[in-house]
Amino acid sequence: MEEILFIKVAQNVPVKNRILTFRDIADMYCANRDIVKTLEKEIFYTLPAGGSQKTIFTITKVYEGILKIYPHLQIENMGEQDFIVDLEEPDKKEKSRAAEYAKAVLVSLIIFFGAAFTIMTFNEDVSVAAVFDKVYFLIMGQEKTGGSVLEVCYAIGLPIGILVFYNHFRRKKLRDDLTPIQVEMNNYEEQVNKAIIKTAAREGKTIDTN
């Protein structure tokens, strides 16, 4: 009976060593565990020194390496057709925590003032103050001369609504769902990976079978 090997490769595979084994790039399953154990120790590819940090491979390159070891093995791909190996240089200096905090503060300030400007512009466009005046007159039967409970509720409800929408407060989530920011970041990462793969294919930089 012919053995079947199931492999799954992610779209982006982070690695720390230039010598890549099959275990580094793929999740493998086979009824014969000896096949998996052997392949996990075998070298798939050696990234050249001084090369690009991101290297693009086709799944057929993985097939080629496996079939050199087990020529009669049947392979079923459960993952990507093309994938990126992202080399994380181990000798890179760790970034200063102070610099990271400074960046976080800067980004937070930009987002805060940008959001405040957006909210104020929205309020002026739809004239929220005039709407509040009319609602107050309809309910109370007299003109509003100063601030009212409407403005207070609006000021309190706005940040609460933002926190609920983004599903995040400090380190705790209000629900188990992904936040909109996490969804957008995942979409962005996926689009970047696809663009890198397509660009490499167009420029002939994808590593395929010989």
Side-chain angles (χ1 to χ4, degrees):
M1 182 176 178
E2 193 175 44
E3 299 283 2
I4 302 176
L5 175 69
F6 297 91
I7 63 173
K8 184 178 181 181
V9 183
Q11 192 176 60
N12 190 296
V13 182
V15 296
K16 294 184 178 180
N17 298 315
R18 293 188 177 275
I19 300 176
L20 308 177
T21 63
F22 286 100
R23 182 178 185 177
D24 294 327
I25 62 166
D27 294 326
M28 297 178 288
Y29 173 80
C30 182
N32 187 343
R33 294 298 300 167
D34 292 335
I35 293 178
V36 175
K37 289 179 180 179
T38 300
L39 288 174
E40 286 180 340
K41 299 176 183 178
E42 293 292 332
I43 295 176
F44 162 65
Y45 192 83
T46 301
L47 299 174
S52 175
Q53 182 183 4
K54 296 181 184 296
T55 308
I56 294 81
F57 294 89
T58 64
I59 196 64
T60 51
K61 183 66 176 177
V62 181
Y63 286 2
E64 181 185 47
I66 294 174
L67 293 176
K68 284 181 180 179
I69 304 168
Y70 293 102
H72 303 293
L73 186 64
Q74 181 179 342
I75 305 173
E76 292 288 341
N77 178 31
M78 311 298 290
E80 299 290 331
Q81 297 296 321
D82 302 290
F83 60 96
I84 302 168
V85 171
D86 192 355
L87 177 63
E88 299 175 354
E89 294 287 356
D91 57 347
K92 282 186 176 179
K93 295 181 179 179
E94 292 188 5
K95 296 181 179 179
S96 170
R97 292 182 67 88
E100 291 297 311
Y101 283 130
K103 289 180 182 178
V105 171
L106 178 61
V107 172
S108 299
L109 289 173
I110 293 173
I111 294 174
F112 174 79
F113 287 109
F117 177 78
T118 302
I119 292 171
M120 288 187 291
T121 304
F122 168 78
N123 290 342
E124 287 299 317
D125 285 345
V126 299
S127 189
V128 174
V131 173
F132 285 165
D133 290 342
K134 290 180 180 179
V135 171
Y136 185 88
F137 179 78
L138 289 172
I139 295 175
M140 305 301 295
Q142 61 183 12
E143 296 289 342
K144 183 164 67 72
T145 57
S148 69
V149 69
L150 293 174
E151 285 83 359
V152 175
C153 292
Y154 181 76
I156 295 174
L158 192 62
I160 292 176
I162 292 173
L163 290 175
V164 172
F165 175 76
Y166 283 104
N167 187 25
H168 206 85
F169 183 73
R170 297 188 68 180
R171 295 184 179 179
K172 293 184 178 180
K173 288 186 177 181
L174 304 178
R175 302 184 304 275
D176 292 333
D177 302 336
L178 292 176
T179 67
I181 291 179
Q182 288 175 313
V183 173
E184 288 302 318
M185 288 300 295
N186 289 338
N187 290 337
Y188 171 76
E189 183 179 358
E190 184 177 354
Q191 293 300 321
V192 169
N193 289 336
K194 288 181 178 179
I196 292 173
I197 291 171
K198 287 183 178 180
T199 301
R202 190 180 302 117
E203 295 177 355
K205 295 181 179 179
T206 303
I207 298 178
D208 204 342
T209 54
N210 296 326

